[in-house]
Amino acid sequence: MTIRLFNTLTKTKEDFAPIDAANVRMYVCGPTVYDFAHIGNARPVIVFDVLFRLLRHIYGDAHVTYVRNITDVDDKINARAAERGISIRELTEETARQYAEDVAALGNLPPTVTPRATEHIAQMIAIIEQLIAAGHAYAADGHVLFDVSSKPDYGKLSRRSLGEMIAGARVEVAPYKKSPMDFVLWKPSDAATPGWDSPWGRGRPGWHIECSAMAGEYLGETFDIHGGGIDLQFPHHENEIAQSEGAHHNHPLAKVWMHNGFLQVEGEKMSKSAGNFFTIRDLLADWPGEVLRFNMLRTHYRQPIDFTVAGLKESWKMLERWYEVTEPLADPAPDAAFFEALSDDLNTPAAIASLHQAGDMALAGGLGFLGFSNVQMRIADKAAVDTAAIADAIEARKAARAAKNFAESDRIRDDLLAQGIVLKDGPGGTTWEVKK
Ligand code: AMP
Ligand code: ZN
């Protein structure tokens, strides 16, 4: 089976041929750990988890290496730790742990390696030294900057010229920069800011260099797939390419670049000020992780997705219906249509449709679509049903019985039963449970 993937570099869908089928390598940019991840952050995690599972299915579990980093050095982290009056380490440890819990609850496998930026400072310094030696970077004023004019193909991923970038980006103009597009590889730290000794004085890395260092450490100079959200295409991924290729004799960083589309909430950009900002944690309090994951995968990963409560309810209903049909099997048998759809640039909506037709839930479990938690138990969870409506129905039935209208009280009981709710009359009154 050949996978076809849309490559942002070439803007075409290409047959995927791994550099080494015995070790298929993928890097996805991970979170900056200073606060709970939001549901938009969950999208790349889920999308690339599906790809990870598909690659493992095809090449074997032991033959796929998936690296997703943790950015634990960043000015947002410093600011938040100061605000909360805790140490940077406490903040990053706490947030990284919450992140791992949240994405696990969405049914994602842990990546093969989850490197932390602060544990790879030496590798970052080494790349920066290589870049300076190769004439791609210069030190100025305690900073080291990447000289974009030294790399004629800078902009090849996002297909922008330097002129367009300067016009379109909010670039920081600084006296030590030769060009406003030159970006920071290393910057000085004052006594109150985390810093490491380096040939350019005590300082800390820029964000982009972190990914180049960690990708190089675990995946080598050139690897198969690099992923992230569409917002990272420029400047982050463009800069990763410039740094890694500049340090590695122009050997390509990754063969295939993949970007997921953005997630909106109820038709609007998610923002704290608009009041439509949802962390994964918030949502997990009301919805099973499986429903959140399934809802995400009903839209193709390159399309924008509109995350709505109506969509979540629909997803929940679909899952419930499917689970009524079949029990998920531990070891699913492969199904041609399902894998064909996934192999076509991760066409998850088509894969879901194929399951729908086959009425076969077993497969879905195999790729973490579904079945990663016991949905039947989740369905049985009383939070899953409209408890207020059930309470009203119980009250109405009580009134009907008091009026000796047994036809009506039976009708109410049977109605509930048809929805999977069983009433139990006991000495303390009527209780209910979900039909097993
Ligand atoms: P950040 O912590 O902002 O660097 O984001 C971590 C990951 O989440 C990156 O791959 C982003 O592209 C992705 N991401 C952030 N916001 C959204 C969103 N609203 N929709 C989809 N992906 C997002
Ligand atoms: Zn990155």
Side-chain angles (χ1 to χ4, degrees), residues 27 29 69 207 211 226 236-237 240:
Y27 186 92
C29 298
N69 72 291
W207 170 38
C211 285
H226 192 310
H236 183 56
H237 290 164
E240 280 187 37

Side-chain angles (χ1 to χ4, degrees), residues 305-338:
I305 185 169
D306 190 21
F307 214 77
T308 63
V309 169
L312 284 171
K313 283 187 177 158
E314 223 174 82
S315 293
W316 195 325
K317 282 225 176 75
M318 283 173 78
L319 279 174
E320 279 184 352
R321 271 204 303 275
W322 285 1
Y323 273 98
E324 276 162 18
V325 181
T326 0
E327 287 215 11
L329 304 177
D331 190 14
D335 174 276
F338 179 73

Side-chain angles (χ1 to χ4, degrees), residues 39 92 111 200 233 380 405 415:
I39 188 65
T92 57
W200 317 284
Q233 187 180 315
N405 185 350
D415 253 2

Side-chain angles (χ1 to χ4, degrees), residues 39-60:
I39 188 65
N41 300 136
R43 194 171 191 197
V45 179
I46 293 172
V47 163
F48 292 103
D49 180 71
V50 170
L51 180 55
F52 181 39
R53 288 168 186 266
L54 181 64
L55 293 170
R56 283 160 58 105
H57 176 77
I58 295 173
Y59 299 98

